[in-house]
Amino acid sequence: MSGVVVIRGGRLIDPANGVDASGDLLVADGVIRALGRVDIPAGATILHADGLVVAPGLVDMHVHLREPGFEYKETIAGGTLAAAAGGVTTVACMPNTRPVNDDPSITAFIRQKAASEGTVNVFPIGAVTKGLEGRELTEMGLMLKAGCVAFSDDGRPVADAGLMRRALDYSRAFGALIIQHAEDPSLSAGGCMHEGVISSRLGLPGLPAAAESVMVDRDVRLVELTGGRYHVAHISVAGAVEAVARARSRGLPVSCEVAPHHFALTDEAVLGYDTDAKMSPPLRSTEDRNAVLEGLARGIITVIATDHAPHDQDSKRVEFCHASNGVVGLETMLPVSLELVRDGVMTLVDCLRAMTVTPARLLGLDRGTLSIGAPADVVLFDPDESWVVDAARLHGTSRNTCFHGRRVRGRVKWTMVSGKVVHDDRLRA
Ligand SMILES: [Zn+2]
């Protein structure tokens, strides 16, 4: 393919610039050069986009790539291939690797590996505390210089209030974002699914919704105290959505994301003890799901992120309570999110905004837009094509999806990173 590509006759949607119009997109030397009516330069490669949406490549700010240390679950190479197949051109990867990304040398390793073996853009998230042990803060300034774009102890909460206060204070000096896995361990300990009617029926120990909302309530107080930028990972309960709504209405620098499984499913998916319906936070009640949907509709929840968490079969083919937490999500993010549009929860433009420019700006990235001069990270998808999710056909190393067998609509046709096609649906096996 030449350095010049014209994407012809698609529906161009760029939430960052309020664009929703049919037209062409001109890409040269990896950069977006023009939108609208484009004269085709001699020698240009043409991608026909009739009937397709042409949008910025998705930005997923919550991904576990598992490398270094857990390459039997996933690698940077495999995880970024799955991203490309899902139309995701930028991922931010969580630091709970082995060793933990709590040091500039680990950050540098991840970036080098991503540059040499990755298919999409990879931006590391550094740990808030050394070894994720919740005791000593990491050197955030040095880690930002090494390429970290935010900080989180994800997988675990920053449980100690005094430590969270210091983390928010310290990060404020750099304008860095702190991402909290909001869970009070004294309330969640021992639980392996949402505490409610279903957990009672199944006889499984539950963890209450309050484990999450108590922590978000507390953290909002600490944001008030410090002015630090705070983001709730994978929000899942009504009380936490309310806390974020209150904080935002008072102008505090608080944001949150939701994972597709939390707005598409409830704890009923655990009936049958399917360990691919086990994650942290767990699938919640219908009331919580409705609160999350309302949070999306009202613009309280502004980001959709997958919490893509690959696990090998040995970690999942065990008794429910002993199974590892987490599901893969990169390849189902777009079609499952498009259900929000068909169900009237949000417009297509707002839905794409939550997966492009909003997470990019939270992380300080110049991505997630079709602006002239921006890197040509683009996804072309058919919004109507119907298909059935088949775990066996996913691209990553692990196949632990909670959407196996679900009929979805919306299929990625091409994914482009810096002008290069990294996924072509016609080549699928
Ligand atoms: Zn988490």
Side-chain angles (χ1 to χ4, degrees):
M1 183 178 286
S2 78
V4 180
V5 182
V6 176
I7 299 170
R8 282 221 77 180
R11 178 180 171 191
L12 299 170
I13 298 185
D14 183 20
N17 293 302
V19 172
D20 183 358
S22 53
D24 315 325
L25 189 74
L26 174 67
V27 172
D29 303 322
V31 170
I32 292 171
R33 299 289 187 197
L35 292 93
R37 272 293 303 145
V38 168
D39 293 323
I40 297 177
T45 302
I46 297 171
L47 295 181
H48 292 281
D50 309 84
L52 303 184
V53 171
V54 180
L58 307 185
V59 176
D60 187 350
M61 67 182 287
H62 194 144
V63 171
H64 298 271
L65 289 177
R66 302 300 191 206
E67 187 174 359
F70 301 99
E71 289 82 357
Y72 59 97
K73 293 180 188 285
E74 190 51 279
T75 58
I76 288 168
T80 56
L81 269 183
V88 177
T89 52
T90 294
V91 301
C93 58
M94 286 296 177
N96 60 340
T97 46
R98 191 171 56 203
V100 168
N101 182 17
D102 61 2
D103 184 276
S105 64
I106 309 299
T107 309
F109 168 83
I110 293 168
R111 291 193 64 204
Q112 279 157 17
K113 198 86 174 173
S116 61
E117 295 174 15
T119 305
V120 306
N121 310 305
V122 174
F123 294 95
I125 293 172
V128 175
T129 67
K130 290 187 180 161
L132 306 176
E133 284 173 352
R135 286 198 285 269
E136 198 186 337
L137 295 180
T138 55
E139 294 281 0
M140 290 184 195
L142 297 177
M143 295 186 70
L144 286 166
K145 274 199 193 107
C148 284
V149 293
F151 296 92
S152 181
D153 274 1
D154 183 59
R156 298 179 188 177
V158 177
D160 185 275
L163 191 67
M164 185 51 128
R165 177 193 181 172
R166 289 202 298 282
L168 286 164
D169 244 338
Y170 188 35
S171 66
R172 196 172 65 104
F174 308 105
L177 186 71
I178 299 285
I179 303 173
Q180 170 75 305
H181 174 118
E183 177 182 334
D184 183 323
S186 67
L187 287 168
S188 63
C192 64
M193 71 170 291
H194 175 67
E195 180 180 295
V197 180
I198 309 276
S199 65
S200 305
R201 204 196 307 175
L202 293 175
L204 292 174
L207 62 104
E212 181 173 322
S213 48
V214 159
M215 189 58 95
V216 178
D217 276 332
R218 180 204 81 176
D219 287 346
V220 168
R221 298 291 175 198
L222 299 175
V223 172
E224 233 172 344
L225 187 63
T226 59
R229 296 175 61 222
Y230 173 80
H231 179 85
V232 184
H234 42 52
I235 204 162
S236 70
V237 301
V241 177
E242 280 164 30
V244 170
R246 280 198 305 273
R248 290 174 70 86
S249 73
R250 288 159 55 215
L252 294 173
V254 171
S255 57
C256 66
E257 73 196 25
V258 63
H261 47 264
H262 285 126
F263 64 69
L265 301 172
T266 66
D267 55 355
E268 287 190 26
V270 181
L271 291 168
Y273 302 94
D274 180 2
T275 58
D276 285 337
K278 183 169 190 270
M279 67 291 279
S280 171
L283 296 173
R284 300 291 193 177
S285 68
T286 301
E287 295 73 39
D288 289 318
R289 177 180 172 235
N290 288 341
V292 161
L293 291 171
E294 206 195 314
L296 283 164
R298 288 173 53 206
I300 296 159
I301 301 172
T302 54
V303 173
I304 298 171
T306 61
D307 191 9
H308 179 87
H311 282 296
D312 56 304
Q313 294 205 344
D314 285 352
S315 302
K316 283 290 195 182
R317 282 195 179 164
V318 291
E319 222 183 293
F320 192 85
C321 279
H322 294 138
S324 295
N325 283 314
V327 290
V328 295
L330 285 164
E331 293 176 68
T332 48
M333 177 188 204
L334 179 67
V336 174
S337 297
L338 290 176
E339 293 176 9
L340 297 168
V341 179
R342 278 193 300 279
D343 292 345
V345 176
M346 24 189 356
T347 64
L348 180 56
V349 173
D350 285 342
C351 184
L352 290 171
R353 188 192 316 277
M355 297 186 278
T356 55
V357 67
T358 303
R361 285 187 183 156
L362 279 171
L363 301 175
L365 301 175
D366 171 27
R367 304 272 169 178
T369 169
L370 300 178
S371 297
I372 309 292
D377 296 349
V378 185
V379 60
L380 283 74
F381 65 91
D382 181 336
D384 295 315
E385 186 174 330
S386 170
W387 56 287
V388 175
V389 178
D390 180 355
R393 298 183 77 148
L394 297 178
H395 289 72
T397 305
S398 294
R399 308 294 164 90
N400 50 308
T401 172
C402 56
F403 293 117
H404 177 68
R406 189 182 185 96
R407 179 162 287 281
V408 293
R409 277 170 65 193
R411 187 152 185 112
V412 173
K413 293 295 168 184
W414 282 287
T415 308
M416 187 181 272
V417 174
S418 292
K420 182 172 163 236
V421 173
V422 294
H423 176 75
D424 181 343
D425 190 52
R426 293 169 306 181
L427 305 178
R428 71 185 191 236

